[in-house]
Amino acid sequence: MRDSWKIYVLAMVSFLVGTSEFVISGILDRVAGDTGVTLAAAGQLITVYSLAYAIGTPILIAMTAKMDRRKLMLAALTLFFIGNLVTILTTGFSMLLGARIILAVGTGVFMVVALTVAANTAQQGKQGSAIATVLLGFNLALILGVPLGRVIAGSYDWKLIFTGIGVLSLIAMFVLLLTIPKSKGDTPVPLREQLSLLKTPRIAIALSIGFFWIMGYTIVYTYISPFLLNITGMSDRMISVGLFAFGIASLLGSQVGGYSADKWGIPRTMIGGLLFHSGILLLITGFAHTSVYLVFPLLMLWSFFAWSTGPVQQVYLIAMAPKASGIVLSLNTSILQLGMAAGAVIGGMVVENISLQAVGFIGAIGVALGVIPAVLSLSMRKKSDIRVKE
């Protein structure tokens, strides 16, 4: 109990690094206008971030496995500070791309280590709650960080957001130095061993569910602010409110998704969530021009069903590889980031070659594709369970 407050410290820092990841979608139109690039080009800031996170994080975690955990978190936050500094000083789009890569690697390493430290700090039997607390801090960035960033970008310069994050990251480093004790690293798990799980068809197919889910989601969310501004006709103030409501709905969806998996089972929750997610994106696309007051609740429903899939996917993967849960969840994180990168690329192509409104339709197709590996994976699990009983 006496060390539980340290977990909340880690959660607050995870909110900080999470804001740096999510906020760019809320201010994409501002960034595009300031750097003199198209919306489609600006969307690739999310692509490079996700690729750097997906590829760089597992490599660096493997390389620094034996390093003291506190020292590694401080090193990650130093990278994170440098990324924010480069963002503030950027004089062109290429420089901003480089800053996003630095931020992604710093965030990825910090989050992996913070979750490990939280689990080790917690009392026996409370490890799951400790991890959930740190992840809650990260997810709160979607609820508070993104709409707050939109307000700041609308009233001042968008670089002020990263100035604030940079200053707070320095304070966070000092607080971590004082509060988090030194701790030994882990036994390194070679990347080859981590990737070997992908050779198991059931696991590989199950991981692809998350890829399609987040890809379809990101096709739309990357361009959410310009979509709401130019297609639905929302004002800047209304967009900030909408993004806040979106974040609240994502938190509720995540909680209900976990409850539903326990109550009604993984198959119903997973397939149902994907179908509703896809269907609501089609509705948003169809009614985008009609009424702001109709789009607003649809926006919340989209977020609710989109984020209900996350906890179900994690529970499903852990059940398939209980002895390698840490590795399979790490792979899932990388796959999700790759899905986000793909979504941002596809979204940019849609905006450039079709229309901004079409991202909703294409995103719905992307999510719906996730139903195919979901059905296939669940049927493979059912056959496996039958063999075990026999």
Side-chain angles (χ1 to χ4, degrees), residues 98-287:
R100 293 304 290 173
I101 292 171
I102 298 170
L103 283 169
V105 174
T107 297
V109 172
F110 175 82
M111 285 304 299
V112 171
V113 180
L115 290 171
T116 305
V117 171
N120 292 337
T121 303
Q123 293 179 337
Q124 191 64 34
K126 299 283 186 178
Q127 289 88 348
S129 297
I131 290 172
T133 299
V134 176
L135 287 175
L136 178 62
F138 193 78
N139 293 334
L140 279 173
L142 195 63
I143 300 172
L144 300 175
V146 176
L148 182 60
R150 182 72 195 183
V151 170
I152 294 171
S155 304
Y156 307 99
D157 188 338
W158 62 268
K159 290 185 180 180
L160 184 62
I161 300 166
F162 294 95
T163 303
I165 293 174
V167 171
L168 290 173
S169 68
L170 285 177
I171 297 171
M173 290 166 68
F174 181 70
V175 172
L176 286 181
L177 189 62
L178 292 179
T179 59
I180 305 299
K182 292 182 177 181
S183 58
K184 293 181 180 179
D186 303 319
T187 303
V189 180
L191 278 176
R192 184 179 296 177
E193 185 178 330
Q194 295 184 42
L195 294 174
S196 65
L197 280 176
L198 293 175
K199 295 179 182 178
T200 306
R202 279 183 61 206
I203 293 177
I205 292 171
L207 285 167
S208 72
I209 300 169
F211 177 86
F212 287 111
W213 153 57
I214 204 71
M215 181 189 73
Y217 170 87
T218 306
I219 287 171
V220 187
Y221 189 73
T222 299
Y223 300 95
I224 187 64
S225 288
F227 182 92
L228 295 176
L229 189 68
N230 300 317
I231 305 301
T232 68
M234 284 189 184
S235 63
D236 253 342
R237 183 178 178 182
M238 191 71 170
I239 290 173
S240 298
V241 175
L243 291 175
F244 177 75
F246 187 93
I248 293 290
S250 72
L251 183 62
L252 291 172
S254 179
Q255 296 298 312
V256 173
Y259 171 81
S260 178
D262 294 334
K263 181 75 173 177
W264 293 293
I266 290 173
R268 288 182 182 178
T269 305
M270 183 180 289
I271 301 295
L274 289 169
L275 290 175
F276 274 110
H277 183 172
S278 179
I280 290 165
L281 282 178
L282 289 175
L283 289 175
I284 290 175
T285 306
F287 291 104

Side-chain angles (χ1 to χ4, degrees), residues 275-350:
L275 290 175
F276 274 110
H277 183 172
S278 179
I280 290 165
L281 282 178
L282 289 175
L283 289 175
I284 290 175
T285 306
F287 291 104
H289 283 297
T290 56
S291 170
V292 168
Y293 299 103
L294 182 59
V295 172
F296 200 91
L298 286 174
L299 196 68
M300 293 186 69
L301 285 172
W302 167 38
S303 179
F304 179 90
F305 284 108
W307 289 102
S308 70
T309 306
V312 185
Q313 172 79 340
Q314 292 184 43
V315 171
Y316 186 46
L317 289 169
I318 290 172
M320 274 194 284
K323 294 182 180 179
S325 59
I327 296 175
V328 78
L329 290 181
S330 176
L331 283 172
N332 185 50
T333 299
S334 292
I335 293 294
L336 290 177
Q337 290 293 337
L338 289 173
M340 292 173 72
V345 169
I346 295 169
M349 293 170 64
V350 172

